[in-house]
Amino acid sequence: MENVRESGPVPEIVGRERELARIAGVLDAVDSRGGVGAQVLALTAEPGAGKSTLVDWAAARAASRGFQVLRDRAGEGEEGFGFAGLHQLLRPLLGEAGRLPAPQREALLAAFGQQAAAGDRQLDPLLIRYAALSLLSDAATDRRLLLLVDDVQWLDQGSVDVLAFVARRLDGEAIAVLLAAREEGLPGPFEREFAVLAVTPLDRADAGLLLDRQPQPPRGRARLRIFEQAGGNPLALIELARAVAREPGGAQGADAAESLPLTGRLERIFAADLVGLPQRTRQVLLVAAAAGTAQFSEVLRATPDAGDPQVWLPAEQVGLVRLAAGQVRLRHPLVRSAVYQAASFDERRAAHQALAAALVDHPDRRAWHLAAATLGPDEEVARTLAESADRARGRGGYAAAAATLERAAALTPDRDQRARRLLEAATMAMYGGCPQWVGELAVKVCAIADDPELLAQASMRAGWSLAVTTRHEEALGFLVPVAQSMAGKAPGLAMDALGTAATPAYNSGSPFYRAELRRLADLVPEQPDEVDRVWLRAGTEPFADRAWALRALSRSLAEAPEDSLPHLAQLGAAAWVLDETELAVRLLGQAMDHLRRTPTAGGNPVVGQALALALFESGAWSVARSTAQEAYRMAVEVGADNSAVGSPILQGTLLALHGDAAGARGLIDTAVAGVDDLSCSPSLFVRSCHALGLAAFVEGDHLAAYRQLRAVFSRDFQAAPVHYHASYYYLGDLAAAAVRTGYEDDARAVLRVAVRSLGELRSARLDVVVNRACALLSGPDEAEQHFRAALADPAGDLWPFERALVRLEFGEWLRRHRRVTEARAELSAALGVFERLDARPWTERAASELRAAGVPTARTESASRTSDLTPQQLEIARAAASGLTNREIGAKLLLSPRTVGFHLHKIFPKLGITTRTQLRDALGDAQPAD
């Protein structure tokens, strides 16, 4: 057991925002006196989930806020020592026990063995409980208290009873209670009566962040296998990362049916119960672990012993396994690993052979078990795996196909065939959206391949693995040479490389690389499939090549396979960059559906981020937010840095539009903090500037908004867009900030250059943006024509928020020019859009303008809240009206005097009185007869 009064700095914890908010809420409830139970929270978690880390955080956070922290960590085997836990918890306060009434003091000290009980009397449990409450209550008058008890499952029963008694009586006390226990180990009173928060496994995104904070973060395939094996357990993630760092080669090359090596710490937690199990029980557990499935029937076919319930009983009794409804479930993925690694190779091999023999009707799973039972190269088994990969690919299971092909390559005797299978594995991993894994596979191909075309394809895959990060120049350094060397020899491969290169060229905004890609594309003859060329032309020159790109996009849509992920992704990206937003939503949505409906497909954060942007622009903000969150989770998991930064920027933009400026800034600052130089990714830079500009605008800081928005264009004599495509869409917001800060001349100079650069062949969306900016920056004689031009094309309604901004500002302009009737129509239309989108700052602005134009709008006013006395408050009021003191009332009702005073403080305003002497009259008939 340990007792800690103070704590060090507040530790930083990954992925526990929900838990930390609940803990902080318990501390806040002490200040606000949040009501019954608000100051008590119990955490439950599996071993390694981090409950003790959360307790440490609570201790440090409370100490930093001025709390006195009383802490106890219960120890296994101490359950039989009466009041041991309570003694440790209260020890820092026992010096003040002399202030307690004598019966309470004597009972408490006797319970702790510090003095003998008076006479032969038995200790009164009620006196002990009330003494503890009084001691804590008195201490809390000087300084707020936090009671922390970790590993409550081992707390002695006497301490549990006293702690529960105290926890029920915290109303009005400056005391918070936080408990932590193992799963299913929380004592009954706390499980039934107080808030319980289960600490759940980390999701993949947070697990990825935790891995990235390790001294040697795992990458690629090893990273994915750690995710699978750790099951979101923080300790397991950390320990497995250490194990992989010690044996990187073994972790990368191990059979997927095998487990990553467990560290001693994990073995102590998850394998401690294996040693004492009977041999037959360990054998059936091994088959269950090797099976990789919960289907009991498969285990039974592989080992007849599994049919005997008595064989499983010892493992069930220690909680390693559970059999129910035809399934056999090991408690945690790491239990499976522990069982598997505890067996010898011969035992594991026999288990896999038995499973392979039992799975003749399941060729894919049979192939994996044959591979797990194979010691060295075996072309027959490798071919069986390659056939399984073909079936997985046909189902859209790209990640599964990649893993199967990688294992097939490891078993392939022929060097060239091995290289080809590794290259195909890299391609499948690419479709599954796993860039680091793709890079690892490409390196393996380059290490063994001699064929120039195979090497070029491997370089292209390596380039793709970097293209989805923020390392744009490095990606182009792989891809451009492939296109140059293969333009004549293998034009299809060259065009594939150019299509891949268009993405980092877009994100980098580099004029040199954009021109170079177009030059190389002109050297490649027309191909049967021109999707890569469509994306390249649209992505590198979306305005000048718009007319050609739209025609080519239409042709490619007619010719492309209906459900091809690469075609859907690239054509969807082209449609997005060309402002064919509805089409982009449809194509990219189909691509994401394709990935989602196949559990083994993997995930593609690049597609997810592009879809989120298109949804946002189309006005589907709720879906855009959830899609951006999904893209972020996938990006962190697989190391797609560009999406890992871009998706939070979009989420921050949405927060700002909803009116949460502080939340927007916090999210964006966190997202860009890990990027060494955001200016090297202009597409991300300008979007972050726009989001931060909106946040400043919402707060009324128009100068800060203007500075952020002005940063998306250069400060040259002829202001140029920082990003050749994205910057132009923020011209309208730049103009809106300029007119509020006196920077109209500067904004006009930017606008003049932009209009000249864009030319006349603008999209309907850009027409809305440019005409809005022109209207805001024009004189009174020209503003109206620009407002009307911005609203002229019905297609502009496809971008509802941008269109609603024009209507709002036009309505404001009309009202200022005393054309109130016209203004009402525009303002009403704008208000409807803002309300639908929940764009609160703009909703309030439009409603205010409408009221000024004589149109009443709904206002929400807080209703006055009155409530009757609770039964406990009524009893306290009656006792006080009868003349009892707070201490006497507390003794009668088993409350501390401080709690009584707190309740009276609430009772007086409810009854409309200010002193105790008014209670009898105020209670009236509620006052009992003497």
Side-chain angles (χ1 to χ4, degrees):
M1 252 182 217
E2 64 178 70
N3 183 284
V4 182
R5 298 190 188 187
E6 304 292 352
S7 300
V10 179
E12 187 177 358
I13 300 177
V14 174
R16 295 299 187 201
E17 289 78 11
R18 179 181 68 114
E19 292 84 354
L20 297 181
R22 289 288 297 276
I23 294 170
V26 170
L27 300 179
D28 292 340
V30 172
D31 296 325
S32 63
R33 307 297 195 272
V36 178
Q39 294 160 231
V40 183
L41 179 65
L43 304 174
T44 62
E46 68 178 7
K51 62 178 176 58
S52 296
T53 302
L54 291 168
V55 170
D56 291 341
W57 183 91
R61 177 66 175 267
S64 71
R65 292 177 57 173
F67 282 71
Q68 181 178 7
V69 179
L70 303 177
R71 184 169 178 178
D72 172 43
R73 183 168 187 172
E76 190 172 7
E78 294 183 349
E79 301 99 317
F81 296 96
F83 301 108
L86 182 66
H87 180 243
Q88 290 294 322
L89 197 66
L90 297 185
R91 189 166 57 179
L93 305 181
L94 290 180
E96 302 299 320
R99 297 167 57 184
L100 295 174
Q104 294 180 24
R105 181 180 65 251
E106 292 168 3
L108 186 65
L109 295 179
F112 293 157
Q114 294 184 352
Q115 71 175 47
D120 294 328
R121 288 181 302 173
Q122 282 193 320
L123 291 177
D124 184 348
L126 195 58
L127 275 176
I128 298 171
R129 296 170 191 175
Y130 193 68
L133 176 63
S134 298
L135 189 64
L136 290 165
S137 179
D138 288 345
T141 61
D142 300 322
R143 187 178 179 189
R144 294 168 298 171
L145 298 180
L146 172 62
L147 310 186
L148 285 178
V149 185
D150 198 1
D151 286 326
V152 180
Q153 70 273 6
W154 291 322
L155 197 64
D156 64 274
Q157 188 60 47
S159 297
V160 168
D161 293 339
V162 174
L163 199 56
F165 179 88
V166 170
R168 295 184 192 106
R169 290 163 175 80
L170 293 184
D171 267 11
E173 302 287 358
I175 302 171
V177 178
L178 179 67
L179 313 173
R182 293 270 181 96
E183 286 178 318
E184 301 179 2
L186 192 64
F190 293 101
E191 188 173 22
R192 292 189 300 269
E193 300 179 46
F194 299 102
V196 178
L197 179 63
V199 180
T200 56
L202 295 176
D203 64 26
R204 286 276 180 114
D206 289 326
L209 292 175
L210 183 59
L211 289 180
D212 288 338
R213 296 190 180 192
Q214 303 314 303
Q216 293 177 271
R219 302 295 182 193
R221 178 65 174 143
R223 184 183 182 92
L224 297 178
R225 293 185 62 204
I226 288 174
F227 285 137
E228 293 164 6
Q229 191 168 326
N233 185 290
L235 176 63
L237 288 161
I238 293 168
E239 293 293 318
L240 289 174
R242 289 175 181 167
V244 167
R246 287 198 296 268
E247 303 179 54
Q252 295 291 348
D255 190 333
E258 297 178 1
S259 303
L260 295 171
L262 296 188
T263 63
R265 192 175 181 188
L266 291 179
E267 284 179 354
R268 286 194 296 273
I269 292 174
F270 291 97
D273 296 316
L274 285 175
V275 178
L277 296 179
Q279 181 60 27
R280 289 179 69 207
T281 302
R282 294 181 65 155
Q283 285 176 342
V284 294
L285 278 177
L286 174 59
V287 175
T293 176
Q295 292 301 316
F296 180 75
S297 58
E298 294 184 7
V299 178
L300 181 61
R301 275 185 282 169
T303 172
D305 274 356
D308 182 358
Q310 294 302 311
V311 173
W312 296 98
L313 185 59
E316 288 185 287
Q317 288 174 332
V318 295
L320 289 176
V321 69
R322 183 178 180 184
L323 275 69
Q327 294 192 321
V328 51
R329 294 194 176 277
L330 297 169
R331 176 166 57 88
H332 190 277
L334 288 173
V335 171
R336 173 190 179 274
S337 303
V339 170
Y340 196 84
Q341 291 183 28
S344 68
F345 174 75
D346 283 343
E347 289 171 325
R348 296 198 300 268
R349 185 181 191 187
H352 285 296
Q353 287 174 333
L355 286 161
L359 292 170
V360 290
D361 297 330
H362 297 83
D364 296 331
R365 300 195 29 238
R366 178 176 180 272
W368 271 107
H369 287 297
L370 288 173
T374 302
L375 271 173
D378 186 321
E379 177 56 29
E380 183 178 353
V381 175
R383 192 182 310 112
T384 302
L385 285 168
E387 291 167 356
S388 174
D390 284 340
R391 289 189 291 271
R393 175 174 44 197
R395 297 189 297 268
Y398 303 115
T404 306
L405 283 163
E406 184 178 19
R407 179 59 178 150
L411 296 177
T412 302
D414 182 74
R415 185 187 179 98
D416 289 341
Q417 179 71 341
R418 193 185 321 146
R420 282 190 288 272
R421 282 173 175 159
L422 283 170
L423 182 63
E424 185 62 19
T427 302
M428 292 299 100
M430 180 183 73
Y431 290 160
C434 304
Q436 292 173 350
W437 189 9
V438 172
E440 291 169 0
L441 292 166
V443 167
K444 289 182 179 180
V445 176
C446 292
I448 62 174
D450 298 318
D451 181 88
E453 192 165 332
L454 274 180
L455 289 169
Q457 289 178 320
S459 292
M460 189 173 71
R461 295 294 172 251
W464 179 87
S465 72
L466 294 169
V468 297
T469 70
T470 53
R471 297 158 64 184
H472 314 306
E473 294 277 342
E474 292 178 59
L476 291 162
F478 274 100
L479 295 164
V480 171
V482 172
Q484 285 176 324
S485 63
M486 292 292 153
K489 301 176 188 175
L493 177 58
M495 202 66 239
D496 196 357
L498 290 170
T500 303
T503 297
Y506 176 88
N507 288 321
S508 74
S510 166
F512 168 77
Y513 278 114
R514 287 162 50 216
E516 182 67 1
L517 295 187
R518 292 196 300 274
R519 182 187 71 79
L520 291 171
D522 289 340
L523 301 178
V524 179
E526 186 173 336
Q527 298 296 299
D529 185 345
E530 284 284 270
V531 169
D532 286 307
R533 196 186 304 270
V534 173
W535 164 229
L536 184 149
R537 292 277 293 269
T540 59
E541 201 58 74
F543 306 126
D545 277 0
R546 175 176 168 77
W548 179 91
L550 286 173
R551 292 193 299 272
L553 176 62
S554 180
R555 285 196 304 272
S556 293
L557 283 171
E559 299 167 358
E562 187 174 328
D563 203 24
S564 165
L565 179 62
H567 287 80
L568 290 169
Q570 286 194 300
L571 294 177
W576 171 72
V577 86
L578 294 170
D579 286 332
E580 296 296 311
T581 309
E582 271 192 319
L583 178 60
V585 168
R586 177 169 66 82
L587 295 174
L588 294 169
Q590 286 178 330
M592 284 302 293
D593 288 343
H594 181 83
L595 291 164
R596 288 169 180 150
R597 66 174 174 258
T598 309
T600 55
N604 196 315
V606 179
V607 175
Q609 183 186 354
L611 175 59
L613 286 167
L615 288 164
F616 165 64
E617 291 161 6
S618 71
W621 286 5
S622 296
V623 186
R625 183 186 305 105
S626 61
T627 305
Q629 291 167 344
E630 181 182 5
Y632 173 74
R633 289 192 294 269
M634 290 187 290
V636 172
E637 179 180 333
V638 302
D641 301 343
N642 197 72
S643 299
V645 177
S647 294
I649 289 174
L650 175 56
Q651 293 176 60
T653 303
L654 285 163
L655 283 177
L657 291 168
H658 290 315
D660 184 0
R665 271 197 307 275
L667 194 57
I668 294 163
D669 289 346
T670 301
V672 303
V675 182
D676 293 334
D677 185 0
L678 196 62
S679 64
C680 293
S681 292
S683 63
L684 295 176
F685 174 76
V686 299
R687 287 174 49 215
S688 69
C689 288
H690 178 238
L692 293 171
L694 286 175
F697 196 90
V698 165
E699 290 181 319
D701 190 347
H702 298 120
L703 182 58
Y706 185 77
R707 287 172 177 162
Q708 289 288 351
L709 293 162
R710 182 63 179 82
V712 307
F713 291 89
S714 73
R715 289 285 181 179
D716 301 330
F717 178 73
Q718 294 283 335
V722 170
H723 188 270
Y724 66 96
H725 173 250
S727 290
Y728 289 113
Y729 294 92
Y730 309 134
L731 283 167
D733 291 331
L734 175 68
V739 298
R740 287 167 172 78
T741 54
Y743 281 94
E744 293 97 324
D745 289 343
D746 181 49
R748 286 189 192 103
V750 174
L751 182 59
R752 277 195 298 272
V753 177
V755 170
R756 195 161 54 242
S757 300
L758 288 170
E760 295 299 320
L761 297 177
R762 300 191 297 251
S763 67
R765 181 185 175 202
L766 268 177
D767 262 345
V768 172
V769 171
V770 170
N771 277 302
R772 176 193 172 207
C774 290
L776 292 171
L777 296 173
S778 296
D781 296 335
E782 298 174 346
E784 182 172 0
Q785 72 183 56
H786 286 297
F787 276 128
R788 295 201 180 278
L791 299 172
D793 188 347
D797 287 330
L798 295 173
W799 302 275
F801 183 70
E802 290 165 350
R803 183 79 144 204
L805 288 174
V806 178
R807 293 191 183 280
L808 170 62
E809 289 156 349
F810 188 28
E812 291 172 332
W813 186 90
L814 289 167
R815 191 182 67 79
R816 287 196 303 271
H817 288 76
R818 302 189 179 185
R819 294 160 62 179
V820 177
T821 302
E822 294 173 82
R824 290 172 180 167
E826 300 298 344
L827 293 169
S828 296
L831 178 61
V833 173
F834 296 144
E835 287 178 333
R836 178 177 67 80
L837 296 176
D838 194 25
R840 294 164 207 163
W842 286 268
T843 299
E844 293 168 8
R845 184 173 149 195
S848 176
E849 284 289 328
L850 269 171
R851 287 192 293 272
V855 178
T857 60
R859 295 175 184 261
T860 56
E861 297 180 0
S862 299
S864 61
R865 297 180 179 179
T866 59
S867 58
D868 296 329
L869 299 181
T870 66
Q872 187 179 54
Q873 287 174 339
L874 181 59
E875 196 167 1
I876 291 170
R878 286 171 172 168
S882 70
L884 296 180
T885 66
N886 286 4
R887 186 170 289 277
E888 289 168 334
I889 297 170
K892 178 182 178 182
L893 301 180
L894 300 180
L895 299 171
S896 74
R898 185 179 177 85
T899 300
V900 174
F902 168 72
H903 280 299
L904 287 170
H905 181 70
K906 284 189 171 182
I907 290 166
F908 285 5
K910 288 185 178 182
L911 297 178
I913 61 175
T914 56
T915 66
R916 291 171 89 102
T917 58
Q918 297 172 300
L919 273 170
R920 184 177 289 272
D921 291 336
L923 289 173
D925 292 339
Q927 176 66 20
D930 293 334

